[in-house]
Short mmCIF file of all heavy atoms in Angstrom, two decimals:
data_model
loop_
_atom_site.label_atom_id
_atom_site.label_comp_id
_atom_site.label_asym_id
_atom_site.label_seq_id
_atom_site.Cartn_x
_atom_site.Cartn_y
_atom_site.Cartn_z
N GLN D 5 6.88 -1.06 -19.62
CA GLN D 5 5.89 -1.77 -20.36
C GLN D 5 5.69 -3.22 -19.78
O GLN D 5 4.60 -3.67 -19.67
CB GLN D 5 6.16 -1.79 -21.86
CG GLN D 5 5.09 -2.61 -22.75
CD GLN D 5 3.79 -2.05 -22.65
OE1 GLN D 5 3.54 -0.86 -22.45
NE2 GLN D 5 2.80 -2.94 -22.92
N THR D 47 -1.63 6.49 2.16
CA THR D 47 -1.64 6.67 3.53
C THR D 47 -0.72 5.72 4.30
O THR D 47 -0.03 6.15 5.19
CB THR D 47 -3.12 6.49 4.13
OG1 THR D 47 -3.97 7.39 3.41
CG2 THR D 47 -3.17 6.70 5.60
N LYS D 120 4.97 16.15 -20.35
CA LYS D 120 4.39 16.99 -19.28
C LYS D 120 5.46 17.67 -18.42
O LYS D 120 5.23 18.83 -17.96
CB LYS D 120 3.43 16.13 -18.43
CG LYS D 120 2.18 15.79 -19.12
CD LYS D 120 1.28 16.99 -19.35
CE LYS D 120 0.85 17.60 -18.10
NZ LYS D 120 -0.07 18.76 -18.17
#
Side-chain angles (χ1 to χ4, degrees):
Q5 178 63 25
T47 301
K120 286 295 293 185

